[in-house]
Amino acid sequence: MRAVRLSVATAVATVAALTAVTGCTEKSDAKGGSGAIGVTATDDGCKVSKTEFPSGHVELAVENKGSRVTEVEILFPDDRIVSERENIGPGTRHTLTAEVKSGAYRIACIPGMKGKGHRQDVTATGGKAVKRDPRLDAAVAAYRQYAQEQADETLPKVKTFTDAVRAGDLEGAKKAYAPSRIGWERTEPVAESFGTIDPKVDVREDGLEEGQDPKTDWTGWHRLEKALWQDKKIGSREKELATLLDKDLKDWQRRVGKAEITPTSMANGAKELLDEVATGKVTGEEERYSHTDLVDFKANVEGAEKAYDLLEPVAAENDAALTKDLDKQFAALDKLLDTYRKDKNSYVFTSYDKVGKADQKELSDAVNALAEPLSKLAAAVVK
């Protein structure tokens, strides 16, 4: 998740793990086509090969020449995210495919994946809309409806959780915590695109920006998670934070219908959800107090699979071998995750602190097998 930034040391270690776990940092992935925009990320800059380019499908060929893990984003002038690629390790390359209309944008490189990073103003010219297969327009409409449904269904579950916090019901709040997060985790890239909501509701303590005070600036689910499982108490501050969580998530619910969604942002978002699994859920960092990581893990995979299912008819025509592989790897990961369910119809999973190292590696391997072909979905959609 965009709000959960890692410390520099942890980020470097995570990217090293990603090389083995998810294939996210392969050097072979980023020279791009002849019309690609080169982006060179360093610790103190973000150099782009061209600041003006035709609107439509844009390909960024990103190379990280810095010493820290970085993130590259295409942004609207108001900081909403058009598309992004996280966890780009030092000395590695990536290709990011996105769809842009004519207008002003910024390309940002964020070393250490904290703060606003270094930015270059760019312009997409021409005013030509992308010619889409009508099936892709239908996929976007269906995914927008899905994202709204997830937000609408989340709010009552969150209220069950926050009501328990406000009532001082420690065990009731613990029981309601993980279910309240499922819809958010399924559609997190949409929430992240707004820029301001995710840091309020889903940041971990080590993801706070420099200068922020955990006592006053840390809000959202994970702050309450710590109170419930580690501190084992609910005080006046926690009750205030519960009400603030309700407010911030209502804002998310209102804004989902206005999110900028394209076929490429759906494909990139699916890959982003798998990266979320690799950097937070498989490692056990995400739900470090409650150990409900497998609930988030399953929700991330479901969200990625929903986006893929909607794009698959077009992607299959453009790259049948890719979709055959994706079908196989999604099925394998779903089957493996289901072995940790209490029963097939429940969303109750084994506590992650009970999952041994060998089993964690098996989960990592399954994520790896899916993440590599999923990174190619955006390019397949726009062929």
Side-chain angles (χ1 to χ4, degrees), residues 132-195:
R132 286 186 193 155
D133 185 312
R135 291 173 296 176
L136 293 178
D137 287 327
V140 168
Y143 187 74
R144 188 183 301 280
Q145 181 179 353
Y146 171 73
Q148 186 66 63
E149 288 171 350
Q150 293 304 307
D152 293 345
E153 292 169 9
T154 293
L155 268 291
K157 295 177 181 177
V158 170
K159 189 173 186 301
T160 299
F161 170 60
T162 55
D163 280 349
V165 173
R166 283 185 288 266
D169 181 358
L170 191 69
E171 293 306 315
K174 285 182 176 182
K175 183 177 180 181
Y177 171 77
S180 77
R181 291 176 50 74
I182 293 170
W184 172 272
E185 292 289 341
R186 285 173 176 159
T187 59
E188 193 168 0
V190 175
E192 289 182 354
S193 72
F194 303 129

Short mmCIF file of all heavy atoms in Angstrom, two decimals, residues 132-195:
data_model
loop_
_atom_site.label_atom_id
_atom_site.label_comp_id
_atom_site.label_asym_id
_atom_site.label_seq_id
_atom_site.Cartn_x
_atom_site.Cartn_y
_atom_site.Cartn_z
N ARG A 132 -10.25 2.38 -28.12
CA ARG A 132 -10.34 1.16 -27.33
C ARG A 132 -11.28 0.15 -27.95
O ARG A 132 -12.28 0.51 -28.55
CB ARG A 132 -10.85 1.47 -25.92
CG ARG A 132 -9.91 2.14 -24.99
CD ARG A 132 -10.60 2.19 -23.62
NE ARG A 132 -9.92 3.08 -22.71
CZ ARG A 132 -10.52 3.67 -21.68
NH1 ARG A 132 -11.80 3.46 -21.45
NH2 ARG A 132 -9.83 4.45 -20.88
N ASP A 133 -10.96 -1.09 -27.73
CA ASP A 133 -11.90 -2.17 -27.98
C ASP A 133 -13.11 -1.92 -27.06
O ASP A 133 -12.94 -1.66 -25.86
CB ASP A 133 -11.23 -3.50 -27.64
CG ASP A 133 -12.08 -4.71 -27.99
OD1 ASP A 133 -13.27 -4.72 -27.63
OD2 ASP A 133 -11.53 -5.66 -28.58
N PRO A 134 -14.33 -1.95 -27.57
CA PRO A 134 -15.51 -1.73 -26.72
C PRO A 134 -15.54 -2.63 -25.49
O PRO A 134 -16.10 -2.27 -24.46
CB PRO A 134 -16.68 -2.01 -27.66
CG PRO A 134 -16.15 -1.75 -29.03
CD PRO A 134 -14.71 -2.17 -28.99
N ARG A 135 -14.93 -3.80 -25.60
CA ARG A 135 -14.90 -4.70 -24.45
C ARG A 135 -14.07 -4.13 -23.30
O ARG A 135 -14.34 -4.41 -22.13
CB ARG A 135 -14.35 -6.06 -24.87
CG ARG A 135 -15.28 -6.84 -25.80
CD ARG A 135 -14.61 -8.10 -26.31
NE ARG A 135 -13.44 -7.79 -27.14
CZ ARG A 135 -12.62 -8.71 -27.65
NH1 ARG A 135 -12.83 -9.99 -27.40
NH2 ARG A 135 -11.60 -8.35 -28.41
N LEU A 136 -13.08 -3.31 -23.63
CA LEU A 136 -12.28 -2.68 -22.58
C LEU A 136 -13.06 -1.57 -21.88
O LEU A 136 -12.93 -1.38 -20.67
CB LEU A 136 -10.98 -2.13 -23.16
CG LEU A 136 -9.99 -3.19 -23.66
CD1 LEU A 136 -8.75 -2.52 -24.25
CD2 LEU A 136 -9.59 -4.14 -22.53
N ASP A 137 -13.88 -0.84 -22.66
CA ASP A 137 -14.75 0.15 -22.02
C ASP A 137 -15.73 -0.54 -21.06
O ASP A 137 -16.00 -0.04 -19.96
CB ASP A 137 -15.53 0.94 -23.07
CG ASP A 137 -14.66 1.94 -23.82
OD1 ASP A 137 -13.72 2.48 -23.21
OD2 ASP A 137 -14.91 2.17 -25.01
N ALA A 138 -16.24 -1.68 -21.48
CA ALA A 138 -17.14 -2.44 -20.62
C ALA A 138 -16.41 -2.95 -19.38
O ALA A 138 -16.97 -2.96 -18.26
CB ALA A 138 -17.75 -3.62 -21.39
N ALA A 139 -15.15 -3.34 -19.55
CA ALA A 139 -14.35 -3.82 -18.41
C ALA A 139 -14.13 -2.70 -17.40
O ALA A 139 -14.23 -2.91 -16.19
CB ALA A 139 -13.01 -4.36 -18.90
N VAL A 140 -13.83 -1.50 -17.89
CA VAL A 140 -13.64 -0.35 -17.00
C VAL A 140 -14.93 -0.05 -16.23
O VAL A 140 -14.91 0.19 -15.01
CB VAL A 140 -13.18 0.88 -17.80
CG1 VAL A 140 -13.25 2.14 -16.93
CG2 VAL A 140 -11.75 0.69 -18.32
N ALA A 141 -16.05 -0.05 -16.93
CA ALA A 141 -17.33 0.23 -16.28
C ALA A 141 -17.64 -0.82 -15.21
O ALA A 141 -18.10 -0.48 -14.10
CB ALA A 141 -18.45 0.28 -17.31
N ALA A 142 -17.37 -2.08 -15.53
CA ALA A 142 -17.65 -3.15 -14.56
C ALA A 142 -16.71 -3.06 -13.36
O ALA A 142 -17.13 -3.30 -12.22
CB ALA A 142 -17.51 -4.51 -15.24
N TYR A 143 -15.46 -2.70 -13.61
CA TYR A 143 -14.52 -2.59 -12.50
C TYR A 143 -14.86 -1.39 -11.62
O TYR A 143 -14.76 -1.46 -10.39
CB TYR A 143 -13.09 -2.46 -13.01
CG TYR A 143 -12.07 -2.49 -11.90
CD1 TYR A 143 -11.78 -3.69 -11.25
CD2 TYR A 143 -11.44 -1.34 -11.45
CE1 TYR A 143 -10.88 -3.73 -10.20
CE2 TYR A 143 -10.54 -1.37 -10.40
CZ TYR A 143 -10.27 -2.57 -9.78
OH TYR A 143 -9.38 -2.61 -8.73
N ARG A 144 -15.31 -0.30 -12.22
CA ARG A 144 -15.75 0.86 -11.43
C ARG A 144 -16.91 0.47 -10.52
O ARG A 144 -16.95 0.85 -9.35
CB ARG A 144 -16.14 2.01 -12.35
CG ARG A 144 -16.43 3.31 -11.62
CD ARG A 144 -16.89 4.39 -12.57
NE ARG A 144 -15.89 4.66 -13.59
CZ ARG A 144 -14.82 5.42 -13.41
NH1 ARG A 144 -14.61 5.97 -12.22
NH2 ARG A 144 -13.97 5.63 -14.38
N GLN A 145 -17.85 -0.29 -11.07
CA GLN A 145 -18.98 -0.74 -10.25
C GLN A 145 -18.50 -1.64 -9.12
O GLN A 145 -18.98 -1.54 -7.99
CB GLN A 145 -19.98 -1.49 -11.14
CG GLN A 145 -21.21 -1.99 -10.38
CD GLN A 145 -22.19 -2.71 -11.28
OE1 GLN A 145 -22.05 -2.73 -12.49
NE2 GLN A 145 -23.21 -3.31 -10.68
N TYR A 146 -17.56 -2.52 -9.42
CA TYR A 146 -16.99 -3.42 -8.41
C TYR A 146 -16.33 -2.63 -7.28
O TYR A 146 -16.55 -2.90 -6.09
CB TYR A 146 -15.98 -4.34 -9.08
CG TYR A 146 -15.16 -5.19 -8.14
CD1 TYR A 146 -15.70 -6.28 -7.47
CD2 TYR A 146 -13.80 -4.89 -7.92
CE1 TYR A 146 -14.93 -7.07 -6.63
CE2 TYR A 146 -13.03 -5.68 -7.08
CZ TYR A 146 -13.59 -6.76 -6.43
OH TYR A 146 -12.82 -7.53 -5.59
N ALA A 147 -15.53 -1.63 -7.65
CA ALA A 147 -14.86 -0.81 -6.64
C ALA A 147 -15.86 -0.09 -5.75
O ALA A 147 -15.68 0.01 -4.54
CB ALA A 147 -13.92 0.19 -7.32
N GLN A 148 -16.94 0.42 -6.37
CA GLN A 148 -17.96 1.11 -5.58
C GLN A 148 -18.68 0.14 -4.66
O GLN A 148 -18.95 0.46 -3.49
CB GLN A 148 -18.97 1.79 -6.52
CG GLN A 148 -19.99 2.66 -5.79
CD GLN A 148 -19.34 3.87 -5.14
OE1 GLN A 148 -18.79 4.72 -5.82
NE2 GLN A 148 -19.41 3.95 -3.81
N GLU A 149 -18.98 -1.04 -5.17
CA GLU A 149 -19.64 -2.05 -4.33
C GLU A 149 -18.78 -2.42 -3.13
O GLU A 149 -19.29 -2.59 -2.01
CB GLU A 149 -19.95 -3.30 -5.16
CG GLU A 149 -21.08 -3.10 -6.16
CD GLU A 149 -21.22 -4.28 -7.11
OE1 GLU A 149 -20.32 -5.15 -7.10
OE2 GLU A 149 -22.21 -4.33 -7.86
N GLN A 150 -17.49 -2.56 -3.35
CA GLN A 150 -16.60 -2.91 -2.25
C GLN A 150 -16.59 -1.80 -1.19
O GLN A 150 -16.59 -2.08 0.02
CB GLN A 150 -15.18 -3.16 -2.77
CG GLN A 150 -15.05 -4.39 -3.65
CD GLN A 150 -15.52 -5.65 -2.96
OE1 GLN A 150 -15.09 -5.97 -1.86
NE2 GLN A 150 -16.43 -6.37 -3.60
N ALA A 151 -16.57 -0.55 -1.64
CA ALA A 151 -16.61 0.56 -0.68
C ALA A 151 -17.94 0.58 0.07
O ALA A 151 -17.97 0.76 1.30
CB ALA A 151 -16.39 1.88 -1.42
N ASP A 152 -19.03 0.40 -0.67
CA ASP A 152 -20.36 0.43 -0.03
C ASP A 152 -20.51 -0.69 0.99
O ASP A 152 -21.11 -0.49 2.06
CB ASP A 152 -21.45 0.29 -1.10
CG ASP A 152 -21.53 1.49 -2.03
OD1 ASP A 152 -20.94 2.54 -1.70
OD2 ASP A 152 -22.15 1.36 -3.10
N GLU A 153 -19.97 -1.86 0.68
CA GLU A 153 -20.07 -3.00 1.60
C GLU A 153 -19.11 -2.89 2.78
O GLU A 153 -19.34 -3.50 3.83
CB GLU A 153 -19.81 -4.30 0.83
CG GLU A 153 -20.90 -4.64 -0.18
CD GLU A 153 -20.51 -5.77 -1.11
OE1 GLU A 153 -19.45 -6.41 -0.86
OE2 GLU A 153 -21.25 -6.03 -2.08
N THR A 154 -18.06 -2.11 2.61
CA THR A 154 -17.06 -1.96 3.68
C THR A 154 -17.57 -1.11 4.83
O THR A 154 -17.31 -1.42 6.00
CB THR A 154 -15.77 -1.36 3.10
OG1 THR A 154 -15.17 -2.32 2.22
CG2 THR A 154 -14.78 -1.01 4.21
N LEU A 155 -18.29 -0.04 4.52
CA LEU A 155 -18.68 0.90 5.56
C LEU A 155 -19.46 0.27 6.72
O LEU A 155 -19.16 0.54 7.89
CB LEU A 155 -19.45 2.08 4.96
CG LEU A 155 -18.61 3.31 4.54
CD1 LEU A 155 -18.04 4.01 5.77
CD2 LEU A 155 -17.49 2.92 3.60
N PRO A 156 -20.45 -0.58 6.47
CA PRO A 156 -21.14 -1.21 7.60
C PRO A 156 -20.22 -2.11 8.43
O PRO A 156 -20.36 -2.19 9.66
CB PRO A 156 -22.25 -2.04 6.93
CG PRO A 156 -22.46 -1.39 5.60
CD PRO A 156 -21.11 -0.92 5.18
N LYS A 157 -19.28 -2.79 7.77
CA LYS A 157 -18.34 -3.65 8.50
C LYS A 157 -17.39 -2.80 9.35
O LYS A 157 -17.03 -3.20 10.46
CB LYS A 157 -17.56 -4.51 7.52
CG LYS A 157 -18.43 -5.51 6.77
CD LYS A 157 -17.63 -6.30 5.74
CE LYS A 157 -18.52 -7.27 4.98
NZ LYS A 157 -17.77 -8.01 3.93
N VAL A 158 -17.00 -1.66 8.81
CA VAL A 158 -16.16 -0.76 9.59
C VAL A 158 -16.92 -0.23 10.79
O VAL A 158 -16.38 -0.11 11.90
CB VAL A 158 -15.66 0.41 8.70
CG1 VAL A 158 -14.98 1.48 9.55
CG2 VAL A 158 -14.68 -0.13 7.65
N LYS A 159 -18.19 0.08 10.61
CA LYS A 159 -18.99 0.59 11.73
C LYS A 159 -19.11 -0.44 12.83
O LYS A 159 -19.09 -0.10 14.03
CB LYS A 159 -20.37 1.05 11.26
CG LYS A 159 -21.15 1.80 12.34
CD LYS A 159 -22.43 2.38 11.79
CE LYS A 159 -23.12 3.26 12.86
NZ LYS A 159 -23.44 2.52 14.09
N THR A 160 -19.24 -1.71 12.47
CA THR A 160 -19.26 -2.77 13.49
C THR A 160 -17.97 -2.73 14.30
O THR A 160 -17.98 -2.85 15.53
CB THR A 160 -19.43 -4.15 12.83
OG1 THR A 160 -20.68 -4.18 12.13
CG2 THR A 160 -19.40 -5.26 13.87
N PHE A 161 -16.85 -2.57 13.59
CA PHE A 161 -15.54 -2.48 14.25
C PHE A 161 -15.44 -1.23 15.12
O PHE A 161 -15.08 -1.30 16.30
CB PHE A 161 -14.45 -2.49 13.18
CG PHE A 161 -13.08 -2.16 13.68
CD1 PHE A 161 -12.46 -2.94 14.65
CD2 PHE A 161 -12.38 -1.07 13.17
CE1 PHE A 161 -11.18 -2.65 15.11
CE2 PHE A 161 -11.10 -0.76 13.61
CZ PHE A 161 -10.50 -1.55 14.60
N THR A 162 -15.77 -0.08 14.56
CA THR A 162 -15.58 1.17 15.31
C THR A 162 -16.60 1.31 16.44
O THR A 162 -16.28 1.90 17.47
CB THR A 162 -15.66 2.39 14.37
OG1 THR A 162 -16.89 2.37 13.63
CG2 THR A 162 -14.49 2.38 13.38
N ASP A 163 -17.79 0.75 16.27
CA ASP A 163 -18.76 0.76 17.38
C ASP A 163 -18.20 -0.02 18.57
O ASP A 163 -18.36 0.40 19.73
CB ASP A 163 -20.09 0.14 16.94
CG ASP A 163 -20.96 1.11 16.15
OD1 ASP A 163 -20.64 2.32 16.11
OD2 ASP A 163 -21.97 0.65 15.57
N ALA A 164 -17.55 -1.14 18.27
CA ALA A 164 -16.96 -1.94 19.35
C ALA A 164 -15.84 -1.18 20.04
O ALA A 164 -15.71 -1.22 21.27
CB ALA A 164 -16.44 -3.26 18.79
N VAL A 165 -15.05 -0.45 19.26
CA VAL A 165 -13.98 0.36 19.86
C VAL A 165 -14.58 1.43 20.76
O VAL A 165 -14.16 1.62 21.91
CB VAL A 165 -13.09 0.99 18.77
CG1 VAL A 165 -12.09 1.97 19.40
CG2 VAL A 165 -12.34 -0.08 17.98
N ARG A 166 -15.59 2.13 20.24
CA ARG A 166 -16.20 3.21 21.03
C ARG A 166 -16.88 2.67 22.29
O ARG A 166 -16.96 3.37 23.30
CB ARG A 166 -17.21 3.98 20.17
CG ARG A 166 -16.56 4.96 19.21
CD ARG A 166 -17.59 5.78 18.46
NE ARG A 166 -18.30 4.99 17.48
CZ ARG A 166 -17.96 4.89 16.20
NH1 ARG A 166 -16.89 5.54 15.75
NH2 ARG A 166 -18.68 4.16 15.36
N ALA A 167 -17.33 1.42 22.25
CA ALA A 167 -17.97 0.80 23.42
C ALA A 167 -16.94 0.23 24.39
O ALA A 167 -17.32 -0.27 25.46
CB ALA A 167 -18.93 -0.30 22.97
N GLY A 168 -15.67 0.28 24.01
CA GLY A 168 -14.63 -0.30 24.86
C GLY A 168 -14.60 -1.81 24.86
O GLY A 168 -14.05 -2.43 25.76
N ASP A 169 -15.21 -2.41 23.83
CA ASP A 169 -15.32 -3.87 23.73
C ASP A 169 -14.08 -4.42 23.01
O ASP A 169 -14.06 -4.53 21.78
CB ASP A 169 -16.60 -4.21 22.97
CG ASP A 169 -16.82 -5.72 22.82
OD1 ASP A 169 -15.96 -6.51 23.27
OD2 ASP A 169 -17.85 -6.09 22.23
N LEU A 170 -13.06 -4.77 23.77
CA LEU A 170 -11.79 -5.20 23.20
C LEU A 170 -11.95 -6.43 22.31
O LEU A 170 -11.47 -6.46 21.17
CB LEU A 170 -10.80 -5.48 24.33
CG LEU A 170 -9.34 -5.69 23.92
CD1 LEU A 170 -8.71 -4.41 23.42
CD2 LEU A 170 -8.54 -6.24 25.11
N GLU A 171 -12.61 -7.47 22.81
CA GLU A 171 -12.74 -8.71 22.05
C GLU A 171 -13.66 -8.53 20.83
O GLU A 171 -13.41 -9.10 19.76
CB GLU A 171 -13.26 -9.84 22.95
CG GLU A 171 -12.28 -10.26 24.03
CD GLU A 171 -10.90 -10.63 23.45
OE1 GLU A 171 -10.87 -11.36 22.43
OE2 GLU A 171 -9.88 -10.19 24.00
N GLY A 172 -14.71 -7.73 20.99
CA GLY A 172 -15.59 -7.47 19.86
C GLY A 172 -14.88 -6.71 18.76
O GLY A 172 -15.08 -6.99 17.57
N ALA A 173 -14.04 -5.76 19.14
CA ALA A 173 -13.28 -4.99 18.16
C ALA A 173 -12.27 -5.89 17.44
O ALA A 173 -12.09 -5.79 16.22
CB ALA A 173 -12.57 -3.83 18.84
N LYS A 174 -11.61 -6.78 18.18
CA LYS A 174 -10.66 -7.71 17.56
C LYS A 174 -11.36 -8.58 16.52
O LYS A 174 -10.84 -8.81 15.42
CB LYS A 174 -10.01 -8.60 18.62
CG LYS A 174 -8.95 -7.93 19.47
CD LYS A 174 -8.36 -8.94 20.44
CE LYS A 174 -7.22 -8.37 21.26
NZ LYS A 174 -6.63 -9.39 22.16
N LYS A 175 -12.52 -9.07 16.86
CA LYS A 175 -13.26 -9.95 15.95
C LYS A 175 -13.68 -9.22 14.68
O LYS A 175 -13.69 -9.80 13.58
CB LYS A 175 -14.49 -10.50 16.67
CG LYS A 175 -15.30 -11.49 15.85
CD LYS A 175 -16.46 -12.04 16.65
CE LYS A 175 -17.28 -13.04 15.83
NZ LYS A 175 -18.44 -13.58 16.61
N ALA A 176 -14.00 -7.94 14.80
CA ALA A 176 -14.51 -7.17 13.66
C ALA A 176 -13.40 -6.53 12.83
O ALA A 176 -13.66 -6.05 11.72
CB ALA A 176 -15.46 -6.09 14.16
N TYR A 177 -12.18 -6.54 13.33
CA TYR A 177 -11.08 -5.82 12.68
C TYR A 177 -10.80 -6.33 11.27
O TYR A 177 -10.88 -5.57 10.28
CB TYR A 177 -9.82 -5.92 13.54
CG TYR A 177 -8.57 -5.40 12.86
CD1 TYR A 177 -8.34 -4.03 12.76
CD2 TYR A 177 -7.63 -6.28 12.33
CE1 TYR A 177 -7.19 -3.55 12.14
CE2 TYR A 177 -6.48 -5.81 11.70
CZ TYR A 177 -6.27 -4.44 11.61
OH TYR A 177 -5.14 -3.98 10.99
N ALA A 178 -10.45 -7.60 11.11
CA ALA A 178 -10.06 -8.12 9.79
C ALA A 178 -11.19 -8.03 8.76
O ALA A 178 -10.95 -7.60 7.62
CB ALA A 178 -9.55 -9.55 9.92
N PRO A 179 -12.44 -8.40 9.10
CA PRO A 179 -13.51 -8.27 8.11
C PRO A 179 -13.71 -6.83 7.62
O PRO A 179 -14.12 -6.61 6.48
CB PRO A 179 -14.75 -8.76 8.86
CG PRO A 179 -14.21 -9.71 9.88
CD PRO A 179 -12.90 -9.11 10.31
N SER A 180 -13.40 -5.85 8.47
CA SER A 180 -13.60 -4.46 8.08
C SER A 180 -12.63 -4.01 6.99
O SER A 180 -12.84 -2.98 6.35
CB SER A 180 -13.47 -3.54 9.30
OG SER A 180 -12.11 -3.33 9.68
N ARG A 181 -11.58 -4.79 6.75
CA ARG A 181 -10.53 -4.38 5.82
C ARG A 181 -10.62 -5.04 4.44
O ARG A 181 -9.90 -4.67 3.52
CB ARG A 181 -9.15 -4.70 6.44
CG ARG A 181 -8.83 -3.83 7.63
CD ARG A 181 -7.51 -4.22 8.28
NE ARG A 181 -6.39 -4.34 7.36
CZ ARG A 181 -5.76 -3.33 6.78
NH1 ARG A 181 -6.14 -2.08 7.02
NH2 ARG A 181 -4.74 -3.55 5.96
N ILE A 182 -11.50 -6.01 4.28
CA ILE A 182 -11.50 -6.84 3.07
C ILE A 182 -11.78 -6.02 1.81
O ILE A 182 -11.05 -6.12 0.81
CB ILE A 182 -12.52 -7.98 3.21
CG1 ILE A 182 -12.05 -8.96 4.30
CG2 ILE A 182 -12.71 -8.71 1.87
CD1 ILE A 182 -13.09 -10.00 4.69
N GLY A 183 -12.82 -5.21 1.81
CA GLY A 183 -13.15 -4.42 0.62
C GLY A 183 -12.07 -3.43 0.26
O GLY A 183 -11.78 -3.20 -0.93
N TRP A 184 -11.47 -2.84 1.28
CA TRP A 184 -10.35 -1.92 1.05
C TRP A 184 -9.20 -2.66 0.38
O TRP A 184 -8.63 -2.18 -0.62
CB TRP A 184 -9.91 -1.32 2.38
CG TRP A 184 -8.65 -0.50 2.30
CD1 TRP A 184 -7.37 -0.95 2.41
CD2 TRP A 184 -8.56 0.90 2.07
NE1 TRP A 184 -6.48 0.08 2.27
CE2 TRP A 184 -7.18 1.23 2.06
CE3 TRP A 184 -9.49 1.92 1.88
CZ2 TRP A 184 -6.72 2.54 1.87
CZ3 TRP A 184 -9.03 3.22 1.69
CH2 TRP A 184 -7.68 3.51 1.68
N GLU A 185 -8.82 -3.80 0.90
CA GLU A 185 -7.68 -4.54 0.36
C GLU A 185 -7.94 -5.04 -1.06
O GLU A 185 -7.01 -5.14 -1.86
CB GLU A 185 -7.34 -5.73 1.27
CG GLU A 185 -6.78 -5.34 2.63
CD GLU A 185 -5.37 -4.78 2.53
OE1 GLU A 185 -4.70 -5.02 1.52
OE2 GLU A 185 -4.94 -4.09 3.48
N ARG A 186 -9.17 -5.34 -1.39
CA ARG A 186 -9.49 -5.79 -2.75
C ARG A 186 -9.29 -4.68 -3.78
O ARG A 186 -8.96 -4.95 -4.94
CB ARG A 186 -10.93 -6.28 -2.82
CG ARG A 186 -11.18 -7.63 -2.19
CD ARG A 186 -12.66 -7.94 -2.15
NE ARG A 186 -12.93 -9.28 -1.63
CZ ARG A 186 -14.10 -9.66 -1.11
NH1 ARG A 186 -15.12 -8.78 -1.06
NH2 ARG A 186 -14.26 -10.88 -0.66
N THR A 187 -9.49 -3.43 -3.39
CA THR A 187 -9.48 -2.32 -4.36
C THR A 187 -8.49 -1.23 -3.98
O THR A 187 -8.65 -0.08 -4.36
CB THR A 187 -10.89 -1.73 -4.48
OG1 THR A 187 -11.32 -1.25 -3.19
CG2 THR A 187 -11.89 -2.75 -4.99
N GLU A 188 -7.46 -1.58 -3.25
CA GLU A 188 -6.54 -0.58 -2.71
C GLU A 188 -5.93 0.34 -3.75
O GLU A 188 -5.76 1.54 -3.49
CB GLU A 188 -5.45 -1.27 -1.90
CG GLU A 188 -4.64 -0.32 -1.05
CD GLU A 188 -3.78 -1.05 -0.04
OE1 GLU A 188 -3.82 -2.29 -0.01
OE2 GLU A 188 -3.07 -0.36 0.70
N PRO A 189 -5.56 -0.13 -4.95
CA PRO A 189 -4.99 0.81 -5.93
C PRO A 189 -5.92 1.96 -6.28
O PRO A 189 -5.46 3.08 -6.56
CB PRO A 189 -4.72 -0.08 -7.15
CG PRO A 189 -4.48 -1.43 -6.56
CD PRO A 189 -5.46 -1.52 -5.43
N VAL A 190 -7.23 1.72 -6.27
CA VAL A 190 -8.17 2.81 -6.53
C VAL A 190 -8.11 3.83 -5.40
O VAL A 190 -8.06 5.04 -5.64
CB VAL A 190 -9.61 2.27 -6.70
CG1 VAL A 190 -10.60 3.42 -6.84
CG2 VAL A 190 -9.70 1.34 -7.91
N ALA A 191 -8.09 3.35 -4.16
CA ALA A 191 -8.01 4.26 -3.01
C ALA A 191 -6.70 5.04 -3.04
O ALA A 191 -6.67 6.24 -2.75
CB ALA A 191 -8.12 3.47 -1.72
N GLU A 192 -5.60 4.37 -3.40
CA GLU A 192 -4.31 5.04 -3.44
C GLU A 192 -4.26 6.13 -4.48
O GLU A 192 -3.50 7.10 -4.35
CB GLU A 192 -3.21 4.02 -3.73
CG GLU A 192 -2.92 3.08 -2.57
CD GLU A 192 -1.79 2.12 -2.89
OE1 GLU A 192 -1.31 2.13 -4.04
OE2 GLU A 192 -1.38 1.38 -1.98
N SER A 193 -5.06 6.01 -5.54
CA SER A 193 -5.01 6.99 -6.61
C SER A 193 -5.43 8.38 -6.15
O SER A 193 -5.08 9.38 -6.77
CB SER A 193 -5.90 6.54 -7.78
OG SER A 193 -7.28 6.64 -7.47
N PHE A 194 -6.17 8.46 -5.04
CA PHE A 194 -6.61 9.76 -4.54
C PHE A 194 -5.49 10.49 -3.80
O PHE A 194 -5.55 11.71 -3.62
CB PHE A 194 -7.81 9.60 -3.60
CG PHE A 194 -8.98 8.91 -4.22
CD1 PHE A 194 -9.59 7.85 -3.59
CD2 PHE A 194 -9.46 9.30 -5.45
CE1 PHE A 194 -10.67 7.19 -4.16
CE2 PHE A 194 -10.53 8.65 -6.04
CZ PHE A 194 -11.14 7.58 -5.39
N GLY A 195 -4.49 9.77 -3.34
CA GLY A 195 -3.31 10.39 -2.75
C GLY A 195 -3.41 10.70 -1.27
O GLY A 195 -2.45 10.49 -0.55
#
